[in-house]
Amino acid sequence: RDGTAAAAAASSAAAADEMDVTAAAAAAAPAEDAKDAAAAPKKYGRPENFVRLSKAEKRRRKYEARKESAKRRKKAHKEKQRAALRAGLQAMTDEEYREHKRREKEEKQAAEAKLRRAMEGGPGALRIALDLDFAEAQSDRELHSLAKQLAYFYSSMKREMATPPCVTLCSFAGRAAEVLSRNGLHNWLVHRSALRPAQAFPDRDIVYLSPDAEEPLEAVDDGAIYVVGGIVDRTVSKGLTRSRAEA
């Protein structure tokens, strides 16, 4: 009876040892799987809506991002200027404010009078004609750039030039007239004509300026009308104004 009990006890101990070994192996297996998973290189899947962008689209998006950033900076700068102006006006006494407004009105009237005299094109006045007949071949972006450059030029005429030129916008029709009018040109003190320069002025008086010209402009003739091509081309197109001058 004692031998039977001892054998049973030994069998139970062996079974318990086997269970411990099995449990230890089972516990070690997930750890080894975890190590293998950590050692394996990670694979990143593309999202379902992934679209590969072309180089042109990447450039366009980069340009749009820069454009928006420039707009934000410009807006912040203008707001800073307006805040400084408001602070300056609020710091003025009533008498100083009235004097400020009087000077502001006088300067505006003087600038308008100066531009009206320029429109008369009296003796010695420089006469410039801008040929807008290239508008149909330009993109909207290029026309907006042209409008901005003309706005800078007109602002310089008002504020910086003691004797501004007499300016005529030729071929002022279609897309050119539409885009420029949206940028405030309808309020400018300049001449406008739907005709081309060769139709609006005598041929003998026209001097067509071109970057492709072979002769440099070394002197200005009071009796001449200097024609400038209204072109803002992102990709340089050679010979456009020269071919127009030779036509």
Side-chain angles (χ1 to χ4, degrees), residues 188 193 209 239:
W188 295 1
S193 174
L209 304 179

Side-chain angles (χ1 to χ4, degrees), residues 3 14 33 38 41 49 81-82 95 111 122 148 170 222 224 234:
D33 291 343
N49 59 348
Q81 287 182 321
R82 285 193 290 265
E95 184 177 351
K148 286 184 179 180
C170 295
D222 293 343
R234 299 292 177 178

Side-chain angles (χ1 to χ4, degrees), residues 200-213:
F201 305 105
D203 286 343
R204 65 179 182 275
D205 295 338
I206 294 177
V207 177
Y208 212 115
L209 304 179
S210 171
D212 303 306

